[in-house]
Amino acid sequence: MQGLEAARALYEARGRDLIHSRFPEYESRIAVGLAGHGSECFGFDDAVSTDHDFEPGFCLWVDDETDRAIGLALSRAYRELKTGAGARSALAEQNRGVRRISDFYRRYTGGPGAPESWQAWLYLPSHALAEASNGQVWRDDQGTFSAIRQQILTGMPEDVRKKRLAAKLITMAQAGQYNYSRCLRHGQPGSAMLALTEFVNAACAAVFLLNRRHMPYYKWQFRAMEELEILGNMKDALEFLLTGENDAAGQTLKAQVVEDVCAQVVGELRRQKLTCGIWDYLEPHAHDLMEHIENPQIRALHVMEE
């Protein structure tokens, strides 16, 4: 049983009745679910994940007023639900149990809710936004927690998406289409692999942006790509660039894969009408994309800034 399923089973079996019996007047003010830090919140946990910080648990999100009224008592009641020990770190306890809504989102956005400015949307790490909006919410009568969650999921300004995407495109061009082969010609295979790593990371980020999704922490980005409708099928090709043989034949094949990945990205850029060009090289697409940004402050930023 995966963590999300185990957490909901615990809530349904014992948590719901505990809240109803002890805090009936506040029951409708407590949002319940599981989200935030941890592979189980993405649904990516497996047997290996249980070797540390693994114990069925869920989150109880409350507003500041409710926290002042019953936060301590609710926390004590929640601890009665714990069923296991296991190897736990000091940080594990911070991710479950009673949390103020404002505190939960402040951990990821720096404020009590969704980003409020284009600057915040541009400079916040994608993995932070992914953690702020993953998992499941099983009850939220007031809708406060879910409204912020939805804003993080769908509220990124289009000009910010274009800006972040332009930066990823130019990194793909420089690292993969240009520097990979040059490093090999310079006799620097280690630098060539670093170039490929930069290319793959930028390509993954570009695919998430094209899907209007937030890319999670690096160790889960390939797993998350499997769920993307747009270009998610490039996951195997991108993994090959990192894991395939590096003999002469492998290097030639990798250079071809880089160009194929770029061609598929160009196709999607054109499908979404984000660029008008037909260039094979991604750098002019990045600059063309910048010209499609309406906000003059964002358009004036350096193409690689994010």
Side-chain angles (χ1 to χ4, degrees):
M1 182 183 294
Q2 287 186 291
L4 270 171
E5 185 180 358
R8 182 153 195 177
L10 176 62
Y11 168 66
E12 297 288 353
R14 301 174 58 198
R16 185 195 301 273
D17 289 341
L18 183 146
I19 295 170
H20 179 71
S21 62
R22 297 197 191 180
F23 308 96
E25 67 274 34
Y26 290 97
E27 185 176 9
S28 64
R29 299 176 64 173
I30 301 170
V32 186
L34 181 60
H37 183 72
S39 58
E40 66 272 25
C41 296
F42 288 100
F44 298 159
D45 53 310
D46 55 22
V48 177
S49 306
T50 63
D51 66 356
H52 74 292
D53 295 350
F54 186 86
E55 182 180 12
F58 50 86
C59 301
L60 301 161
W61 297 292
V62 297
D63 58 30
D64 292 3
E65 180 182 352
T66 303
D67 179 63
R68 286 190 294 269
I70 64 165
L72 183 58
L74 185 60
S75 294
R76 288 172 174 167
Y78 171 81
R79 285 197 292 271
E80 296 177 15
L81 299 175
K82 292 186 176 181
T83 59
R88 298 174 59 80
S89 75
L91 292 177
E93 186 65 22
Q94 301 177 19
N95 303 319
R96 306 291 178 264
V98 180
R99 304 285 303 280
R100 293 194 302 178
I101 294 172
S102 56
D103 287 342
F104 175 86
Y105 286 114
R106 187 173 286 107
R107 175 176 181 177
Y108 302 109
T109 69
E116 296 182 354
S117 67
W118 68 259
Q119 290 93 339
W121 279 109
L122 181 62
Y123 298 119
L124 278 170
S126 178
H127 64 80
L129 297 171
E131 287 195 4
S133 55
N134 64 10
Q136 297 175 358
V137 179
W138 309 316
R139 179 171 185 174
D140 185 9
D141 293 10
Q142 290 187 316
T144 304
F145 183 86
S146 297
I148 299 172
R149 172 187 175 87
Q150 187 63 27
Q151 180 66 15
I152 292 173
L153 281 168
T154 63
M156 178 182 287
E158 180 65 1
D159 278 350
V160 171
R161 183 176 80 108
K162 292 175 180 177
K163 177 68 197 71
R164 298 185 78 152
L165 184 54
K168 301 307 178 184
L169 295 179
I170 204 161
T171 298
M172 289 173 67
Q174 291 185 355
Q177 292 182 292
Y178 183 76
N179 279 324
Y180 172 61
S181 297
R182 286 184 64 83
C183 287
L184 290 175
R185 292 200 298 272
H186 282 299
Q188 298 177 338
S191 296
M193 285 306 301
L194 287 176
L196 275 187
T197 301
E198 290 289 324
F199 173 82
V200 169
N201 279 327
C204 288
V207 170
F208 275 89
L209 287 164
L210 288 168
N211 280 270
R212 292 179 170 82
R213 292 275 298 276
H214 304 305
M215 185 172 73
Y217 192 53
Y218 69 88
K219 69 177 180 178
W220 297 316
Q221 66 190 43
F222 283 130
R223 173 63 181 81
M225 277 192 72
E226 297 174 2
E227 302 174 355
L228 300 180
E229 294 183 7
I230 299 171
L231 301 183
N233 58 358
M234 291 202 311
K235 174 245 184 188
D236 291 343
L238 293 172
E239 279 194 314
F240 166 76
L241 293 175
L242 299 179
T243 62
E245 292 293 333
N246 286 313
D247 55 15
Q251 292 168 356
T252 299
L253 181 55
K254 287 184 177 184
Q256 294 172 350
V257 170
V258 165
E259 292 301 330
D260 181 63
V261 167
C262 292
Q264 292 188 62
V265 169
V266 168
E268 183 59 28
L269 290 169
R270 290 176 58 79
R271 192 190 71 80
Q272 294 189 25
K273 296 181 171 56
L274 294 170
T275 181
C276 303
I278 58 173
W279 313 282
D280 295 328
Y281 192 49
L282 283 179
E283 183 170 333
H285 290 282
H287 292 292
D288 189 33
L289 186 54
M290 291 291 292
E291 294 301 317
H292 286 75
I293 294 175
E294 296 181 2
N295 184 313
Q297 292 178 287
I298 301 176
R299 191 170 62 247
L301 294 174
H302 190 279
V303 65
M304 298 189 75
E305 184 172 349
E306 61 170 330

